[in-house]
PDB file of all heavy atoms in Angstrom:
ATOM      1  N   ILE A 166     -17.228  -1.061  21.347  1.00  0.00           N
ATOM      2  CA  ILE A 166     -17.387  -2.141  22.325  1.00  0.00           C
ATOM      3  C   ILE A 166     -16.419  -1.938  23.481  1.00  0.00           C
ATOM      4  O   ILE A 166     -16.775  -2.071  24.653  1.00  0.00           O
ATOM      5  CB  ILE A 166     -17.160  -3.509  21.652  1.00  0.00           C
ATOM      6  CG1 ILE A 166     -18.249  -3.763  20.603  1.00  0.00           C
ATOM      7  CG2 ILE A 166     -17.148  -4.625  22.698  1.00  0.00           C
ATOM      8  CD1 ILE A 166     -18.024  -5.015  19.784  1.00  0.00           C
ATOM      9  N   ARG A 167     -15.165  -1.596  23.144  1.00  0.00           N
ATOM     10  CA  ARG A 167     -14.167  -1.349  24.204  1.00  0.00           C
ATOM     11  C   ARG A 167     -14.601  -0.195  25.097  1.00  0.00           C
ATOM     12  O   ARG A 167     -14.445  -0.247  26.323  1.00  0.00           O
ATOM     13  CB  ARG A 167     -12.817  -1.031  23.589  1.00  0.00           C
ATOM     14  CG  ARG A 167     -12.188  -2.143  22.789  1.00  0.00           C
ATOM     15  CD  ARG A 167     -10.715  -1.909  22.572  1.00  0.00           C
ATOM     16  NE  ARG A 167     -10.435  -0.597  22.006  1.00  0.00           N
ATOM     17  CZ  ARG A 167      -9.257   0.006  22.068  1.00  0.00           C
ATOM     18  NH1 ARG A 167      -8.248  -0.583  22.702  1.00  0.00           N
ATOM     19  NH2 ARG A 167      -9.060   1.192  21.503  1.00  0.00           N
ATOM     20  N   ALA A 168     -15.139   0.856  24.491  1.00  0.00           N
ATOM     21  CA  ALA A 168     -15.557   2.037  25.259  1.00  0.00           C
ATOM     22  C   ALA A 168     -16.671   1.684  26.242  1.00  0.00           C
ATOM     23  O   ALA A 168     -16.687   2.174  27.381  1.00  0.00           O
ATOM     24  CB  ALA A 168     -16.012   3.138  24.311  1.00  0.00           C
ATOM     25  N   LYS A 169     -17.587   0.815  25.815  1.00  0.00           N
ATOM     26  CA  LYS A 169     -18.684   0.420  26.702  1.00  0.00           C
ATOM     27  C   LYS A 169     -18.152  -0.388  27.884  1.00  0.00           C
ATOM     28  O   LYS A 169     -18.625  -0.243  29.010  1.00  0.00           O
ATOM     29  CB  LYS A 169     -19.723  -0.377  25.920  1.00  0.00           C
ATOM     30  CG  LYS A 169     -20.529   0.477  24.940  1.00  0.00           C
ATOM     31  CD  LYS A 169     -21.554  -0.345  24.181  1.00  0.00           C
ATOM     32  CE  LYS A 169     -22.369   0.551  23.247  1.00  0.00           C
ATOM     33  NZ  LYS A 169     -23.353  -0.241  22.459  1.00  0.00           N
ATOM     34  N   ARG A 170     -17.176  -1.258  27.634  1.00  0.00           N
ATOM     35  CA  ARG A 170     -16.574  -2.018  28.731  1.00  0.00           C
ATOM     36  C   ARG A 170     -15.877  -1.063  29.712  1.00  0.00           C
ATOM     37  O   ARG A 170     -15.992  -1.203  30.937  1.00  0.00           O
ATOM     38  CB  ARG A 170     -15.551  -3.003  28.200  1.00  0.00           C
ATOM     39  CG  ARG A 170     -16.074  -3.950  27.160  1.00  0.00           C
ATOM     40  CD  ARG A 170     -16.404  -5.289  27.721  1.00  0.00           C
ATOM     41  NE  ARG A 170     -16.513  -6.258  26.672  1.00  0.00           N
ATOM     42  CZ  ARG A 170     -17.477  -7.159  26.553  1.00  0.00           C
ATOM     43  NH1 ARG A 170     -18.438  -7.215  27.455  1.00  0.00           N
ATOM     44  NH2 ARG A 170     -17.497  -8.014  25.558  1.00  0.00           N
ATOM     45  N   ARG A 171     -15.139  -0.090  29.174  1.00  0.00           N
ATOM     46  CA  ARG A 171     -14.453   0.867  30.041  1.00  0.00           C
ATOM     47  C   ARG A 171     -15.459   1.670  30.862  1.00  0.00           C
ATOM     48  O   ARG A 171     -15.197   2.017  32.023  1.00  0.00           O
ATOM     49  CB  ARG A 171     -13.566   1.794  29.218  1.00  0.00           C
ATOM     50  CG  ARG A 171     -12.313   1.132  28.669  1.00  0.00           C
ATOM     51  CD  ARG A 171     -11.331   2.158  28.131  1.00  0.00           C
ATOM     52  NE  ARG A 171     -11.848   2.857  26.977  1.00  0.00           N
ATOM     53  CZ  ARG A 171     -11.626   2.508  25.714  1.00  0.00           C
ATOM     54  NH1 ARG A 171     -10.894   1.438  25.444  1.00  0.00           N
ATOM     55  NH2 ARG A 171     -12.125   3.220  24.729  1.00  0.00           N
ATOM     56  N   GLN A 172     -16.606   1.968  30.240  1.00  0.00           N
ATOM     57  CA  GLN A 172     -17.645   2.716  30.947  1.00  0.00           C
ATOM     58  C   GLN A 172     -18.181   1.898  32.126  1.00  0.00           C
ATOM     59  O   GLN A 172     -18.422   2.444  33.213  1.00  0.00           O
ATOM     60  CB  GLN A 172     -18.780   3.069  29.991  1.00  0.00           C
ATOM     61  CG  GLN A 172     -19.802   4.030  30.566  1.00  0.00           C
ATOM     62  CD  GLN A 172     -20.848   4.433  29.544  1.00  0.00           C
ATOM     63  OE1 GLN A 172     -21.275   3.628  28.721  1.00  0.00           O
ATOM     64  NE2 GLN A 172     -21.251   5.684  29.572  1.00  0.00           N
ATOM     65  N   ILE A 173     -18.349   0.604  31.920  1.00  0.00           N
ATOM     66  CA  ILE A 173     -18.806  -0.263  33.004  1.00  0.00           C
ATOM     67  C   ILE A 173     -17.787  -0.255  34.145  1.00  0.00           C
ATOM     68  O   ILE A 173     -18.142  -0.157  35.320  1.00  0.00           O
ATOM     69  CB  ILE A 173     -19.032  -1.697  32.492  1.00  0.00           C
ATOM     70  CG1 ILE A 173     -20.210  -1.732  31.515  1.00  0.00           C
ATOM     71  CG2 ILE A 173     -19.293  -2.647  33.657  1.00  0.00           C
ATOM     72  CD1 ILE A 173     -20.396  -3.070  30.828  1.00  0.00           C
ATOM     73  N   LEU A 174     -16.495  -0.355  33.779  1.00  0.00           N
ATOM     74  CA  LEU A 174     -15.451  -0.332  34.805  1.00  0.00           C
ATOM     75  C   LEU A 174     -15.467   0.990  35.573  1.00  0.00           C
ATOM     76  O   LEU A 174     -15.279   1.012  36.792  1.00  0.00           O
ATOM     77  CB  LEU A 174     -14.082  -0.552  34.164  1.00  0.00           C
ATOM     78  CG  LEU A 174     -13.818  -1.954  33.596  1.00  0.00           C
ATOM     79  CD1 LEU A 174     -12.458  -2.000  32.900  1.00  0.00           C
ATOM     80  CD2 LEU A 174     -13.879  -3.006  34.693  1.00  0.00           C
ATOM     81  N   ALA A 175     -15.679   2.085  34.858  1.00  0.00           N
ATOM     82  CA  ALA A 175     -15.745   3.393  35.514  1.00  0.00           C
ATOM     83  C   ALA A 175     -16.923   3.448  36.483  1.00  0.00           C
ATOM     84  O   ALA A 175     -16.818   4.012  37.582  1.00  0.00           O
ATOM     85  CB  ALA A 175     -15.859   4.503  34.474  1.00  0.00           C
ATOM     86  N   HIS A 176     -18.059   2.867  36.086  1.00  0.00           N
ATOM     87  CA  HIS A 176     -19.225   2.836  36.974  1.00  0.00           C
ATOM     88  C   HIS A 176     -18.925   2.009  38.227  1.00  0.00           C
ATOM     89  O   HIS A 176     -19.371   2.363  39.326  1.00  0.00           O
ATOM     90  CB  HIS A 176     -20.434   2.252  36.238  1.00  0.00           C
ATOM     91  CG  HIS A 176     -21.052   3.188  35.237  1.00  0.00           C
ATOM     92  ND1 HIS A 176     -21.129   4.544  35.454  1.00  0.00           N
ATOM     93  CD2 HIS A 176     -21.617   2.967  34.023  1.00  0.00           C
ATOM     94  CE1 HIS A 176     -21.720   5.129  34.418  1.00  0.00           C
ATOM     95  NE2 HIS A 176     -22.012   4.192  33.534  1.00  0.00           N
ATOM     96  N   LEU A 177     -18.181   0.922  38.052  1.00  0.00           N
ATOM     97  CA  LEU A 177     -17.825   0.092  39.203  1.00  0.00           C
ATOM     98  C   LEU A 177     -16.905   0.855  40.150  1.00  0.00           C
ATOM     99  O   LEU A 177     -17.005   0.714  41.375  1.00  0.00           O
ATOM    100  CB  LEU A 177     -17.160  -1.206  38.736  1.00  0.00           C
ATOM    101  CG  LEU A 177     -18.087  -2.192  38.004  1.00  0.00           C
ATOM    102  CD1 LEU A 177     -17.295  -3.377  37.471  1.00  0.00           C
ATOM    103  CD2 LEU A 177     -19.196  -2.673  38.935  1.00  0.00           C
ATOM    104  N   ASP A 178     -15.989   1.669  39.585  1.00  0.00           N
ATOM    105  CA  ASP A 178     -15.139   2.511  40.431  1.00  0.00           C
ATOM    106  C   ASP A 178     -15.989   3.510  41.225  1.00  0.00           C
ATOM    107  O   ASP A 178     -15.756   3.741  42.414  1.00  0.00           O
ATOM    108  CB  ASP A 178     -14.120   3.266  39.580  1.00  0.00           C
ATOM    109  CG  ASP A 178     -13.019   2.362  39.046  1.00  0.00           C
ATOM    110  OD1 ASP A 178     -12.816   1.280  39.620  1.00  0.00           O
ATOM    111  OD2 ASP A 178     -12.371   2.745  38.054  1.00  0.00           O
ATOM    112  N   THR A 179     -16.968   4.090  40.549  1.00  0.00           N
ATOM    113  CA  THR A 179     -17.866   5.037  41.208  1.00  0.00           C
ATOM    114  C   THR A 179     -18.664   4.338  42.304  1.00  0.00           C
ATOM    115  O   THR A 179     -18.881   4.905  43.384  1.00  0.00           O
ATOM    116  CB  THR A 179     -18.829   5.661  40.179  1.00  0.00           C
ATOM    117  OG1 THR A 179     -18.074   6.334  39.171  1.00  0.00           O
ATOM    118  CG2 THR A 179     -19.764   6.657  40.840  1.00  0.00           C
ATOM    119  N   LEU A 180     -19.077   3.095  42.015  1.00  0.00           N
ATOM    120  CA  LEU A 180     -19.840   2.334  43.003  1.00  0.00           C
ATOM    121  C   LEU A 180     -19.006   2.088  44.253  1.00  0.00           C
ATOM    122  O   LEU A 180     -19.516   2.184  45.384  1.00  0.00           O
ATOM    123  CB  LEU A 180     -20.287   1.002  42.392  1.00  0.00           C
ATOM    124  CG  LEU A 180     -21.063   0.050  43.318  1.00  0.00           C
ATOM    125  CD1 LEU A 180     -22.320   0.730  43.833  1.00  0.00           C
ATOM    126  CD2 LEU A 180     -21.397  -1.244  42.582  1.00  0.00           C
ATOM    127  N   THR A 181     -17.720   1.775  44.069  1.00  0.00           N
ATOM    128  CA  THR A 181     -16.839   1.547  45.222  1.00  0.00           C
ATOM    129  C   THR A 181     -16.799   2.771  46.130  1.00  0.00           C
ATOM    130  O   THR A 181     -16.949   2.661  47.355  1.00  0.00           O
ATOM    131  CB  THR A 181     -15.417   1.204  44.749  1.00  0.00           C
ATOM    132  OG1 THR A 181     -15.433  -0.038  44.048  1.00  0.00           O
ATOM    133  CG2 THR A 181     -14.457   1.094  45.928  1.00  0.00           C
ATOM    134  N   LEU A 182     -16.598   3.941  45.531  1.00  0.00           N
ATOM    135  CA  LEU A 182     -16.534   5.164  46.341  1.00  0.00           C
ATOM    136  C   LEU A 182     -17.900   5.518  46.925  1.00  0.00           C
ATOM    137  O   LEU A 182     -17.985   6.076  48.022  1.00  0.00           O
ATOM    138  CB  LEU A 182     -15.982   6.317  45.511  1.00  0.00           C
ATOM    139  CG  LEU A 182     -14.483   6.241  45.202  1.00  0.00           C
ATOM    140  CD1 LEU A 182     -14.047   7.416  44.343  1.00  0.00           C
ATOM    141  CD2 LEU A 182     -13.666   6.220  46.496  1.00  0.00           C
ATOM    142  N   SER A 183     -18.974   5.186  46.189  1.00  0.00           N
ATOM    143  CA  SER A 183     -20.324   5.444  46.722  1.00  0.00           C
ATOM    144  C   SER A 183     -20.579   4.607  47.965  1.00  0.00           C
ATOM    145  O   SER A 183     -21.150   5.096  48.954  1.00  0.00           O
ATOM    146  CB  SER A 183     -21.376   5.137  45.650  1.00  0.00           C
ATOM    147  OG  SER A 183     -21.276   6.022  44.562  1.00  0.00           O
ATOM    148  N   ILE A 184     -20.183   3.339  47.914  1.00  0.00           N
ATOM    149  CA  ILE A 184     -20.334   2.463  49.076  1.00  0.00           C
ATOM    150  C   ILE A 184     -19.510   3.005  50.238  1.00  0.00           C
ATOM    151  O   ILE A 184     -19.955   3.030  51.392  1.00  0.00           O
ATOM    152  CB  ILE A 184     -19.904   1.025  48.731  1.00  0.00           C
ATOM    153  CG1 ILE A 184     -20.874   0.420  47.703  1.00  0.00           C
ATOM    154  CG2 ILE A 184     -19.855   0.156  49.984  1.00  0.00           C
ATOM    155  CD1 ILE A 184     -20.437  -0.936  47.173  1.00  0.00           C
ATOM    156  N   PHE A 185     -18.290   3.470  49.928  1.00  0.00           N
ATOM    157  CA  PHE A 185     -17.421   4.023  50.973  1.00  0.00           C
ATOM    158  C   PHE A 185     -18.093   5.215  51.649  1.00  0.00           C
ATOM    159  O   PHE A 185     -18.180   5.284  52.883  1.00  0.00           O
ATOM    160  CB  PHE A 185     -16.075   4.434  50.384  1.00  0.00           C
ATOM    161  CG  PHE A 185     -15.120   5.001  51.401  1.00  0.00           C
ATOM    162  CD1 PHE A 185     -14.216   4.177  52.047  1.00  0.00           C
ATOM    163  CD2 PHE A 185     -15.143   6.352  51.731  1.00  0.00           C
ATOM    164  CE1 PHE A 185     -13.346   4.690  53.010  1.00  0.00           C
ATOM    165  CE2 PHE A 185     -14.285   6.873  52.685  1.00  0.00           C
ATOM    166  CZ  PHE A 185     -13.384   6.038  53.331  1.00  0.00           C
ATOM    167  N   HIS A 186     -18.558   6.177  50.851  1.00  0.00           N
ATOM    168  CA  HIS A 186     -19.156   7.386  51.427  1.00  0.00           C
ATOM    169  C   HIS A 186     -20.458   7.066  52.148  1.00  0.00           C
ATOM    170  O   HIS A 186     -20.796   7.716  53.156  1.00  0.00           O
ATOM    171  CB  HIS A 186     -19.390   8.425  50.335  1.00  0.00           C
ATOM    172  CG  HIS A 186     -18.137   9.098  49.868  1.00  0.00           C
ATOM    173  ND1 HIS A 186     -17.368   9.895  50.677  1.00  0.00           N
ATOM    174  CD2 HIS A 186     -17.503   9.073  48.665  1.00  0.00           C
ATOM    175  CE1 HIS A 186     -16.323  10.347  50.016  1.00  0.00           C
ATOM    176  NE2 HIS A 186     -16.375   9.866  48.791  1.00  0.00           N
ATOM    177  N   ASP A 187     -21.210   6.077  51.654  1.00  0.00           N
ATOM    178  CA  ASP A 187     -22.448   5.693  52.302  1.00  0.00           C
ATOM    179  C   ASP A 187     -22.176   5.105  53.689  1.00  0.00           C
ATOM    180  O   ASP A 187     -22.914   5.353  54.641  1.00  0.00           O
ATOM    181  CB  ASP A 187     -23.194   4.669  51.440  1.00  0.00           C
ATOM    182  CG  ASP A 187     -24.538   4.277  52.034  1.00  0.00           C
ATOM    183  OD1 ASP A 187     -25.380   5.173  52.229  1.00  0.00           O
ATOM    184  OD2 ASP A 187     -24.736   3.080  52.338  1.00  0.00           O
TER     185      ASP A 187
END
Side-chain angles (χ1 to χ4, degrees):
I166 295 174
R167 296 197 307 160
K169 289 180 178 178
R170 304 260 197 225
R171 287 193 294 266
Q172 189 176 37
I173 293 173
L174 291 176
H176 286 324
L177 291 175
D178 287 340
T179 301
L180 178 59
T181 295
L182 288 179
S183 294
I184 293 173
F185 181 92
H186 286 296
D187 183 59

